[in-house]
Amino acid sequence: MECEELCYVLEGSGTIYKKEEIAIDFKSGDVIFINKKDIYYWNGNFKVAIVCTPAWSKEQCKLYDE
């Protein structure tokens, strides 16, 4: 809810689903930007490196049941 994330896919592949019903497929080498207001979830078998600004903490996140 407070930080933006820049994600680099190190290996594998998957899909990121955003609340606006957008599905984005990704694979090794791709870069994904996540806005601080995005509601999303990941699916797949992959490893990512994520850079956050400001620094991430679990208090900044909110989990949804949807």
Side-chain angles (χ1 to χ4, degrees), residues 25-40:
D25 294 324
F26 60 85
K27 63 186 179 321
S28 180
D30 287 349
V31 175
I32 302 165
F33 175 76
I34 301 173
N35 187 294
K36 64 183 173 185
K37 297 189 188 258
D38 286 344
I39 297 172
Y40 66 93

Side-chain angles (χ1 to χ4, degrees), residues 7-64:
C7 311
Y8 179 73
V9 184
L10 298 169
E11 61 184 58
S13 63
T15 304
I16 184 170
Y17 299 90
K18 296 191 177 184
K19 185 163 177 86
E20 300 83 22
E21 298 185 21
I22 298 171
I24 302 168
D25 294 324
F26 60 85
K27 63 186 179 321
S28 180
D30 287 349
V31 175
I32 302 165
F33 175 76
I34 301 173
N35 187 294
K36 64 183 173 185
K37 297 189 188 258
D38 286 344
I39 297 172
Y40 66 93
Y41 68 95
W42 304 88
N43 187 27
N45 186 14
F46 54 91
K47 288 184 183 179
V48 293
I50 302 175
V51 178
C52 300
T53 183
W56 183 88
S57 70
K58 68 179 184 177
E59 292 78 27
Q60 296 172 352
C61 295
K62 181 176 181 180
L63 297 177
Y64 292 91

